[in-house]
Amino acid sequence: MTFTLSSTDITDGGVLPDAQVQAKGNTSPHLKWSGAPEGTRSFAITCYDPDAPTGSGFWHWTVANIPADVSEVAAGGPLPSGAVEGRTDFGEPGFGGAAPPPGHGPHRYIFTVFAVDTDRLEVTPDNSGAVFGFNLHFHTLAKASITATYENAG
């Protein structure tokens, strides 16, 4: 079975809806996954913009420690008990919608769900996307992504 990700809000290769844009809705999208590999003990979610003019991209959302019996999150939450949202590059935990600089061109927003081999990653709401990514590097069994674009024409 293949690990897959779907959404009623975002489409792979599509344009990010206004609901997921910071200035227009700033709401995390619905995400649903299936086909997690054997040994999955929890899940994590990230949203990353590799096109941000920072030299290192931009983390819009990091979530870890979603229980293994969960296979879906609703738009805007709430997240399951025990889940931890990390600090985005906006400076605080939670979802931070798309906000590319005006006239910078289209940015990709990569929503990824990770099947994780441990019940709990050692991360906190104060941790950055880099810390979440470091922990995920050592514990990911499989991952599935949806990439949507958004451009702020200015």
Side-chain angles (χ1 to χ4, degrees):
M1 191 170 201
T2 303
F3 190 47
T4 61
L5 176 61
S6 62
S7 175
T8 58
D9 295 324
I10 54 176
T11 304
D12 193 45
V15 174
L16 204 62
D18 285 352
Q20 281 72 55
V21 174
Q22 188 182 44
K24 298 181 179 181
N26 206 38
T27 302
S28 61
H30 163 264
L31 297 173
K32 183 176 183 174
W33 52 93
S34 63
E38 188 173 327
T40 299
R41 294 178 54 192
S42 67
F43 295 98
I45 300 170
T46 63
C47 177
Y48 177 70
D49 170 6
D51 303 310
T54 63
S56 61
F58 198 96
W59 293 98
H60 286 265
W61 197 25
T62 56
V63 184
N65 305 339
I66 297 170
D69 63 351
V70 173
S71 61
E72 185 171 18
V73 293
L79 292 171
S81 178
V84 175
E85 287 183 295
R87 179 175 43 84
T88 70
D89 285 337
F90 289 112
E92 54 192 50
F95 178 78
H104 194 254
H107 284 219
R108 293 168 290 164
Y109 296 87
I110 305 168
F111 292 85
T112 303
V113 174
F114 299 80
V116 179
D117 70 359
T118 184
D119 295 332
R120 182 169 159 32
L121 293 177
E122 295 301 320
V123 293
T124 72
D126 292 328
N127 291 143
S128 68
V131 171
F132 273 69
F134 178 81
N135 280 273
L136 284 167
H137 175 80
F138 295 100
H139 294 285
T140 297
L141 297 171
K143 60 184 178 178
S145 298
I146 294 174
T147 301
T149 61
Y150 181 76
E151 180 175 4
N152 182 356

